[in-house]
Every structure is written in structure tokens, then in C-alpha cells.
Amino acid sequence: MRYIEWIVMFAVAGLGIALANFVGFEVGFLESLPGILILLGISLVAVVISKIVPLKLPIVAYCSILGLLVACPVSPVREGVIEAVNKINFTAPLTMVGAFAGISISDQIKSFLKQGWKMIIVGVLVMTGTFLGSALIAQLVLSLTNAI
């Protein structure tokens, strides 16, 4: 994918995040704009790094590393980044991630269905197990940290 396509995709994602944040959590567009620009900037830098660095990690890994670096205690921009990004509710970007995931697999549904009904059962079991495992781990960690 070319960089222009990435930028257009990030612009669409940014608008979607702003809309989800506004509709779902009543945070104004201008109020959430700095946080969205920071998140999209980190994502764009991660895309560029993934093309330059010979170590072939997924773009998500580079995004995570960059996010950790700009928000770590020794970062000079830490306070501004955390303050701006805190105005974006965590589930607002997930709306766009879910939409992109659905679009990306939509052309592969036929090949998935050709594998038979057993694959559908395996998929449902894997998703259920992943959800339950994540819920159990979250419950354990939140209980141990006295957050709940």
C-alpha cells in the first residue's frame, strides 16, 4: 500500500473515531482532535518504520512501541500526549477497527465457507474461548490490584 493510501485511510479512521467519540461519549470534535492526531501520527510513523527497518514486525508492534515511548515517564511530551489522548474514549477507535476488519475479510467469506461447517464451529469456539480467557485475566488483574 502506498503512503497516500495510508494517509487517506488514516483520515477516514480519524473522522470515524471523532464521530464515534462525539456520538457515543459526547466529546466535541475539536476537543478530541489533538488526541486523534497524536494516535494517527503514531500509526503513520509506525507504517513508515515498518517499511524502513529490516526487522519485519507487524505494524501493530511498532505502534505499541512508539506509543510506549511517547507516553513513558522520561518522554518530554508525555503530559501533553496523555492529556490529549485521554479525551478519546477507548471504545471509539475500536468501532473503526471493527469496521476495517469486517471490510478486510468480506472478500474472503466464500473461501472461508468452502472449508465447511466444522470451520465455523472452530471459529466460534476460538472466539468464545478468547473472550472468556480475556475476561478471566481482566477479572483476576483487576481484583489483585483492588480496582474492583
Side-chain angles (χ1 to χ4, degrees):
M1 201 181 265
R2 287 174 268 158
Y3 293 117
I4 298 297
E5 293 170 349
W6 279 102
I7 291 170
V8 170
M9 186 178 70
F10 285 145
V12 170
L15 290 173
I17 292 169
L19 183 63
N21 212 27
F22 176 70
V23 171
F25 308 101
E26 299 175 358
V27 179
F29 286 113
L30 293 178
E31 190 178 347
S32 62
L33 186 63
I36 292 170
L37 290 176
I38 289 170
L39 291 177
L40 296 180
I42 289 171
S43 301
L44 187 60
V45 170
V47 169
V48 172
I49 289 174
S50 73
K51 304 295 181 195
I52 294 172
V53 174
L55 183 63
K56 294 299 176 195
L57 291 175
I59 295 173
V60 168
Y62 289 115
C63 278
S64 299
I65 293 167
L66 287 171
L68 288 170
L69 288 176
V70 297
C72 74
V74 296
S75 172
V77 295
R78 175 182 188 257
E79 296 299 325
V81 167
I82 291 174
E83 181 182 331
V85 174
N86 272 341
K87 293 188 175 125
I88 300 170
N89 192 293
F90 178 70
T91 56
L94 291 181
T95 305
M96 292 307 298
V97 169
F100 286 140
I103 291 170
S104 70
I105 65 165
S106 65
D107 63 338
Q108 300 170 3
I109 295 287
K110 289 180 183 175
S111 64
F112 178 72
L113 292 175
K114 286 180 185 176
Q115 294 181 11
W117 62 271
K118 294 176 187 174
M119 188 57 109
I120 294 172
I121 292 173
V122 169
V124 168
L125 291 174
V126 166
M127 286 186 274
T128 303
T130 302
F131 175 77
L132 290 175
S134 298
L136 288 173
I137 291 170
Q139 180 69 30
L140 177 70
V141 170
L142 290 172
S143 296
L144 289 174
T145 60
N146 292 324
I148 57 170

